[in-house]
Amino acid sequence: MSKPYEVKDGYYGGFGGVFVPPPLVPVLEKIAEAFNRYKEDPEFIAEYDYYMKQYVGKPSPLYFAKNMTEDLGGAKIYLKREDLNHTGAHKINNTIGQAMLAKRMGAKRIIAETGAGQHGVATATVAALFGMECTIYMGEVDTHKQNLNVFRIELLGANVVPVKDGDRDLKAAVDTALMDLVANHDHTFYMLGSAVGPHPYPALVHHFQSIISREAREQILEQEGRLPDAVVACVGGGSNAIGMFSEFIGDPAIKLVGVEPAGLGLGTGEHAAPISTASPGVIHGFKCYLMQDAEGNPAHCYSIASGLDYPGVGPEHSYLRDTGLADYVAIDDFEALDAFRYLSRREGIVPAIESAHAIAHVMKMAPTMRPDQIIVVNLSGRGDKDVGTILESEQIALDRRKQLQNK
Ligand SMILES: *Cc1c(COP(=O)(O)O)cnc(C)c1O
């Protein structure tokens, strides 16, 4: 299906664009040129397909969740198993594509920032695969919280730089990584992990993640002989969701639903659901729906799922929301935790706590639909990374909610 809209100069309606310091503009233009040159190149596509099949393990299965479907007594539920990819999530679809582009642009070095460490691990993995030098910037505070991921990144041969500026957090890490890029762009490529950032990154990430819906479309046609009635995915920056939506955008018969994290509740301020609550603003070089303070600075955000804990959202999702081409809902920590336990117990699949947000929404949605209808939900990652901390986070979330209620 052809898209019902065009991306013009990096703008999705009023969202997106390039809001960066002048020295970065030509760097981004070079990436856009390379992307346009290689995205249709048969040799590039063949190499990407090779790594997807032989390294990542694609196509990932589309699994009919029989137990869940029976329990809920409504629509048939299919899980797109991106959790079975090498490294346990969808992020690798994008990092492999960007690393291949970086190589063709002559880059010898990859840099990235990471908060919880997941994007750092996915980046370090492909740097090892393609034999490139790799530096991961991480707020010093985060390096202590995520010491296991720091070790994992170093094990993969990359170098972790703890950032001691500012609040020593993710924002400080982004700023430092951008300064590195300005100084070293002749041989360094900046790897972005979600469908965010200045043009052309959202388009690039959309392109590489669209493999999710290309596979799912073919698989559901094979198994059911028709397309789904609804497609659901969780939304942090929005890369797994845009990949899951891509092939279905603009088909009026298919409802697209993005699930944002409501944290402790949309009314508490302790959430990370910019589409559900906020107004347009600029963050990290692009315009989007943003949680912001009175001065327009990105506001505090929170979710039990570190992969969803971001105050902005991809420009394309901001646009899909405005045009009504997709719907966005929010699921709180407690609903996500229930879904995390439910899917583990009933299907024998431990989902990432991020993906559990999408599962939780499907649990509400399926019973309102007919048994002859079909939902496809993206399982963006596996929950092994969360098992150790889930008990603890559950207690922290309960305590914080109690505190907020007593205020
Ligand atoms: C990083 C991550 C997400 C959130 O990122 P998006 O860009 O919104 O997809 C969701 N699920 C998992 C498993 C992740 O690792």
Side-chain angles (χ1 to χ4, degrees):
M1 158 142 300
S2 67
K3 297 266 169 344
Y5 53 89
E6 288 281 323
V7 185
K8 275 212 190 75
D9 305 321
Y11 274 93
Y12 305 80
F15 300 101
V18 178
F19 296 81
V20 297
L24 278 179
V25 172
V27 179
L28 293 167
E29 280 170 357
K30 238 179 71 186
I31 298 171
E33 270 166 35
F35 175 51
N36 281 330
R37 173 158 164 218
Y38 289 112
K39 70 178 176 195
E40 313 287 353
D41 177 55
E43 189 245 345
F44 187 93
I45 294 170
E47 187 183 328
Y48 181 77
D49 290 348
Y50 169 81
Y51 284 113
M52 285 297 118
K53 180 165 181 225
Q54 305 295 358
Y55 188 74
V56 175
K58 286 194 165 287
S60 65
L62 183 71
Y63 177 69
F64 173 53
K66 182 164 169 285
N67 299 340
M68 190 178 173
T69 298
E70 282 172 11
D71 286 352
L72 296 171
K76 291 176 93 167
I77 300 160
Y78 281 84
L79 308 176
K80 179 60 177 160
R81 299 291 310 274
E82 288 291 295
D83 60 313
L84 293 176
N85 293 346
H86 175 51
T87 67
H90 66 289
K91 286 197 172 68
I92 191 98
N93 304 336
N94 168 53
T95 49
I96 286 190
Q98 285 194 36
M100 284 176 48
L101 201 61
K103 276 228 125 162
R104 281 166 174 76
M105 291 174 69
K108 306 251 177 298
R109 180 171 173 264
I110 293 179
I111 60 171
E113 84 291 335
T114 196
Q118 285 151 254
H119 177 49
V121 171
T123 302
T125 300
V126 298
L129 174 65
F130 290 104
M132 298 168 92
E133 204 189 308
C134 181
T135 295
I136 305 293
Y137 290 101
M138 204 163 173
E140 197 196 14
V141 176
D142 294 327
T143 60
H144 296 307
K145 278 197 252 180
Q146 304 290 338
N147 54 351
L148 197 61
N149 274 336
V150 172
F151 178 63
R152 208 169 275 159
I153 292 166
E154 289 172 347
L155 196 60
L156 291 161
N159 171 29
V160 175
V161 177
V163 177
K164 299 186 171 89
D165 301 330
D167 290 336
R168 298 176 294 141
D169 61 356
L170 180 66
K171 187 184 173 300
V174 172
D175 293 342
T176 311
L178 288 176
M179 272 160 27
D180 181 323
L181 183 63
V182 170
N184 299 306
H185 62 82
D186 55 325
H187 66 287
T188 294
F189 185 90
Y190 184 86
M191 182 91 76
L192 242 169
S194 190
V196 298
H199 178 70
Y201 281 104
L204 222 127
V205 175
H206 177 143
H207 180 77
F208 292 126
Q209 291 294 359
S210 65
I211 189 170
I212 302 173
S213 55
R214 279 202 308 280
E215 288 179 2
R217 186 177 208 280
E218 198 173 298
Q219 290 165 321
I220 198 71
L221 285 174
E222 194 184 299
Q223 294 183 51
E224 288 282 349
R226 68 179 191 88
L227 294 176
D229 300 278
V231 171
V232 182
C234 67
V235 178
S239 71
N240 89 86
I242 208 67
M244 184 73 245
F245 291 175
S246 185
E247 287 287 310
F248 306 113
I249 294 171
D251 185 335
I254 305 177
K255 197 173 162 69
L256 306 178
V257 186
V259 184
E260 292 196 305
L264 300 180
L266 293 182
T268 64
E270 294 290 326
H271 63 78
I275 295 185
S276 303
T277 60
S279 50
V282 172
I283 181 173
H284 297 152
F286 71 106
K287 206 166 180 186
C288 65
Y289 279 108
L290 178 67
M291 294 171 63
Q292 55 194 316
D293 63 19
E295 279 82 51
N297 299 309
H300 165 80
C301 63
Y302 160 80
S303 164
I304 194 168
S306 57
L308 303 180
D309 197 355
Y310 184 66
V313 64
E316 194 165 5
H317 287 292
S318 303
Y319 180 67
L320 290 174
R321 183 262 192 194
D322 271 10
T323 51
L325 288 166
D327 292 330
Y328 294 84
V329 297
I331 285 289
D332 71 26
D333 284 3
F334 303 95
E335 294 168 316
L337 283 164
D338 284 345
F340 177 85
R341 289 179 181 280
Y342 171 80
L343 198 73
S344 304
R345 202 170 54 240
R346 290 295 290 144
E347 294 289 353
I349 297 169
V350 181
I353 188 67
E354 288 82 6
S355 323
H357 285 71
I359 298 293
H361 183 65
V362 168
M363 289 167 73
K364 292 184 181 176
M365 194 177 170
T368 70
M369 294 168 68
R370 296 188 315 268
D372 64 323
Q373 292 185 300
I374 299 168
I375 303 175
V376 173
V377 54
N378 194 33
L379 211 61
S380 55
R382 68 178 79 130
D384 304 33
K385 68 180 178 56
D386 300 311
V387 175
T389 49
I390 219 89
L391 244 179
E392 197 186 341
S393 345
E394 213 163 17
Q395 199 51 53
I396 291 171
L398 280 167
D399 290 348
R400 289 189 65 191
R401 183 162 72 176
K402 224 180 268 163
Q403 278 171 7
L404 287 169
Q405 282 165 349
N406 292 340
K407 249 188 205 165

